[in-house]
Amino acid sequence: TGQVDSLRESRDKMRVELDQRGAQLDAASTALLGAGEQLNAGTLTNRRVAIVAAAGADGAIVEKTRQSLTAAGARITGEITLAPAFTDTEYATYRSTLSGNLGSYVKDLPAGGSADAILGAAVDTVVRSAPEDAGATTLITLLTSPENKLIDVAVAPSEAAEVVVFITADPAETAPVPADKATTSPHITDTYQAAFAAIAGRGPAVAVGAGTDGNSVLGAVRSAKNGSTVDSAQTALGDVNIPMAAAAE
């Protein structure tokens, strides 16, 4: 009985300590967010920003990204979500065929670019074009074909974006992840990295993700040094850094 009581006391003490630490972290996050809002206020005033989210991107991170950008004064011009078929190997032949027929609608295609890069340029064209642009309208029709949907238009572009913020679907890691334990398939990482490289090569772009591991999409983008990157997007620090990165682009 004495041993049981001792275990209960230890458990209760641990719970109290965890609650205290949780309260301290909440307070620190609140303070950081407050400082970040003051620091970022007006840095994106009237800057036109489009959001492009990878398939499976955390909806909470998408929402937090939207809020942090608008709090800094940005106008969100549109939101695109890449469909699973954008990276699915079963659609590789379709993507290759389609990409070879986009030259009439996408200006300045990447020289010798892969299908992934061309489709990234196509998505970029959609969000950086005025809504009345005929080429962009055609691209939306092609990319949202019900039989082979590559994108979902969550919010139709209302005006041409100046900055594109790409949100990955990388999970947050609590420890380094070995390459053989990576949660994102290599071909998915390669596809998104190539697509983002095309987007960043055409104008200001920021890649955002929860993960920091080198095997993640964000890690691959960061290694390739295309555009800007912000990790830990699920944290208060991420909320502060996303507008900063967009303003710096």
Side-chain angles (χ1 to χ4, degrees), residues 67-93:
Q67 290 177 352
S68 66
L69 291 168
T70 54
R75 298 205 307 267
I76 305 301
T77 60
E79 293 186 29
I80 302 292
T81 301
L82 304 181
F86 197 91
T87 58
D88 195 325
T89 54
E90 292 184 10
Y91 290 85
T93 299

Side-chain angles (χ1 to χ4, degrees), residues 50-114:
I51 294 174
V52 176
D58 189 329
I61 290 179
V62 174
E63 175 62 23
K64 281 161 63 71
T65 298
R66 185 188 305 114
Q67 290 177 352
S68 66
L69 291 168
T70 54
R75 298 205 307 267
I76 305 301
T77 60
E79 293 186 29
I80 302 292
T81 301
L82 304 181
F86 197 91
T87 58
D88 195 325
T89 54
E90 292 184 10
Y91 290 85
T93 299
Y94 172 75
R95 292 196 301 270
S96 179
T97 301
L98 177 63
S99 66
N101 292 288
L102 298 182
S104 299
Y105 313 109
V106 183
K107 297 178 181 179
D108 303 320
L109 280 175
S114 65

